[in-house]
Amino acid sequence: MIYLDNAATTKPFEEVLEAYIAVNNNYFGNSSSINLYGKKAAKLLEASRKQIGDILNIPYDKIYFTSGATESNNIAILGAAEHKKDFGRHIITSRLEHPSVLETFRSLENKGFILDYVDVLPNGQIDLKHLKSLLTKDTVLLSIMQVNNVFGAIQPIEQIADILVDYPKVHFHVDGVQGVLKNSIDLSKVDSYSISAHKFHGSKGIGMLYVKSRRSTNNISYGGGQEDNLRSGTVNLPAIVAMAKALRLCFEKSDITKEKHHKFKKYILEKLSNLDYLEINSPLSNSYVDSIINISLPKIKGEAIVNALGEKDIMVSTTSACSSKKFSVNEALNSRGLSEENIKGSIRISFSYFTTEAEVKKFVEIFEEKYEQFREVIESGI
Ligand code: PMP
């Protein structure tokens, strides 16, 4: 099996799983308890927070553990909107965002906020001029992802932050799920930032939210008051320790990984650009990460390509795992102005630390083989 769907999720590192089991065995106390086991657990919790803070270059006491990026995005967006609602009702996001951001913004629209979508340029980046034209004195919230999960375009986060200097009321949230350790940004320039461990060889169901100012973000759920009352519920210490370990391991390997992914992307795009009908939605460019490649075949459904490759034990995906079961065209690709035919025929190939050159070569070989079968359909115009 060749697994090339790492933007959907990655295989946990062996050391990460070992840490998860060891913490379950040796630190099972509740970090909120004042007994000895509780204190031991609390100490380990704080050590993990510090480790993550050091890697991401953010103050560790502004890190809040959650069940993953969906929850982190919900807390940041709903919590900031609730806090700011008396200061303004205008909110902005883009159609590039993951559903955990988009649908959360739409829920705010249903509650009376005025929602605007910033335009996306054909290259997959948001239009900064349009953003400037949308901002008003009433704007209180903006959310833009660091790297798009469908085609890998890097968003101009620091330039957005510079624009927002003139709009201090705006809470600027960044979904960093696909960008963390792949593209570096100065997190002191954003108000909140989400990550999810299963995208970097940690376990599923654990994530983090960085919030610059806890006082200006309301809690959206209620309970025992853990994580400074921003995210109540007994903290998942084994998964948190495992996430800190996964982040450290990926951080240490990030230069090698980036170099490897660049080589892989270059190879795939060079080889596949020889195929007459293939469209490349993720060019080799500094404004795209190398770990995600979106390509398309006209008149062929993405699902058909995914299934054809699956028959040869190669796993890729259509657009993104979270929206691939929906029938409508992918919103992120659509926002770039790509044709419906391109969008419907698109697939995503994504790498991880574990991806090898031999796997990439095999993928190209199989894709070229399958392309010959699809070519007949494309040329027959069906
Ligand atoms: N944002 C982006 C950009 C993602 O790719 C994902 C995962 N598909 C999420 C948020 C949601 O993360 P989680 O699975 O941790 O809820």
Side-chain angles (χ1 to χ4, degrees):
M1 281 291 174
I2 296 179
Y3 183 72
L4 296 174
D5 192 19
N6 292 284
T9 198
T10 55
K11 183 180 194 293
F13 286 131
E14 208 55 58
E15 299 95 311
V16 163
L17 297 176
E18 282 162 13
Y20 181 80
I21 292 172
V23 175
N24 263 306
N25 269 323
N26 305 321
Y27 292 84
F28 65 85
N30 187 323
S31 55
S32 298
S33 300
I34 58 164
N35 57 40
L36 180 65
Y37 284 0
K39 282 183 182 148
K40 268 179 68 182
K43 210 168 156 195
L44 189 58
L45 175 66
E46 294 321 309
S48 301
R49 211 186 299 277
K50 182 153 187 345
Q51 195 177 12
I52 294 172
D54 286 347
I55 294 170
L56 298 181
N57 211 6
I58 46 180
Y60 61 90
D61 58 346
K62 311 244 159 119
I63 288 174
Y64 304 94
F65 294 114
T66 66
S67 64
T70 297
E71 188 182 21
S72 297
N73 288 338
N74 271 266
I75 294 173
I77 295 163
L78 297 177
E82 182 61 27
H83 182 83
K84 307 248 177 183
K85 67 176 195 264
D86 296 331
F87 304 102
R89 293 237 149 197
H90 181 227
I91 58 178
I92 307 173
T93 190
S94 80
R95 294 186 195 273
L96 290 174
E97 305 302 307
H98 184 265
S100 58
V101 169
L102 266 182
E103 298 306 322
T104 308
F105 267 77
R106 286 168 184 160
S107 81
L108 287 171
E109 192 177 25
N110 292 337
K111 286 184 196 139
F113 283 85
I114 312 296
L115 172 59
D116 269 317
Y117 298 95
V118 60
D119 288 348
V120 177
L121 299 167
N123 76 353
Q125 289 189 314
I126 65 143
D127 182 344
L128 292 173
K129 276 198 206 113
H130 185 233
L131 175 65
K132 278 186 200 161
S133 75
L134 288 177
L135 287 161
T136 70
K137 285 200 178 75
D138 202 40
T139 313
V140 286
L141 178 61
L142 169 69
S143 188
I144 299 293
M145 69 202 328
Q146 186 179 2
V147 168
N148 175 264
N149 52 307
V150 179
F151 45 82
I154 299 169
Q155 300 305 315
I157 299 300
E158 294 194 15
Q159 288 177 57
I160 297 170
D162 292 342
I163 293 170
L164 291 178
V165 168
D166 294 332
Y167 299 87
K169 218 160 68 177
V170 178
H171 178 109
F172 181 27
H173 175 63
V174 175
D175 174 345
V177 171
Q178 303 286 351
V180 66
L181 302 183
K182 300 202 171 91
N183 152 255
S184 69
I185 51 172
D186 178 358
L187 289 179
S188 71
K189 291 187 162 189
V190 310
D191 292 301
S192 53
Y193 184 75
S194 318
I195 64 171
S196 186
H198 72 101
K199 307 285 183 175
F200 52 85
H201 306 289
S203 61
K204 290 166 187 64
I206 189 71
M208 175 221 86
L209 175 66
Y210 156 69
V211 177
K212 195 191 269 175
S213 168
R214 170 69 188 91
R215 276 181 298 117
S216 54
T217 313
N218 286 21
N219 52 306
I220 61 161
S221 62
Y222 301 86
Q226 290 90 343
E227 299 298 280
D228 203 8
N229 203 27
L230 193 60
R231 201 279 186 177
S232 282
T234 304
V235 294
N236 188 349
L237 185 62
I240 290 167
V241 174
M243 171 165 71
K245 184 150 206 167
L247 193 71
R248 180 174 61 76
L249 291 172
C250 280
F251 178 65
E252 286 167 2
K253 300 172 198 304
S254 74
D255 286 347
I256 309 172
T257 311
K258 275 187 203 156
E259 214 180 296
K260 214 168 74 165
H261 291 176
H262 185 70
K263 234 171 85 185
F264 294 167
K265 183 173 181 183
K266 194 158 178 270
Y267 179 81
I268 291 180
L269 294 188
E270 266 170 22
K271 286 280 180 185
L272 300 191
S273 58
N274 294 325
L275 310 178
D276 305 336
Y277 300 103
L278 187 103
E279 303 213 36
I280 295 167
N281 296 327
S282 310
L284 197 68
S285 147
N286 287 342
S287 52
Y288 284 76
V289 289
D290 292 322
S291 53
I292 297 176
I293 305 178
N294 189 293
I295 53 175
S296 172
L297 289 177
K299 301 196 173 65
I300 307 291
K301 289 234 160 55
E303 287 84 346
I305 308 172
V306 170
N307 291 335
L309 294 170
E311 284 166 13
K312 293 281 188 175
D313 296 340
I314 292 179
M315 284 175 272
V316 298
S317 71
T318 54
T319 56
S320 79
C322 301
S323 57
S324 59
K325 290 197 187 85
K326 291 185 183 166
F327 287 99
S328 56
V329 293
N330 181 273
E331 218 171 334
L333 288 165
N334 195 40
S335 71
R336 285 172 66 176
L338 298 178
S339 71
E340 194 173 325
E341 199 174 74
N342 176 330
I343 298 170
K344 286 190 169 161
S346 79
I347 61 162
R348 179 183 68 180
I349 303 129
S350 47
F351 313 133
S352 79
Y353 171 75
F354 289 124
T355 309
T356 65
E357 191 176 331
E359 289 177 327
V360 168
K361 288 196 163 153
K362 188 78 187 161
F363 162 76
V364 169
E365 188 188 312
I366 303 287
F367 191 90
E368 285 172 341
E369 192 184 304
K370 292 288 176 189
Y371 178 80
E372 285 313 314
Q373 295 167 18
F374 286 129
R375 175 201 282 276
E376 278 178 39
V377 182
I378 297 170
E379 289 180 349
S380 71
I382 295 166

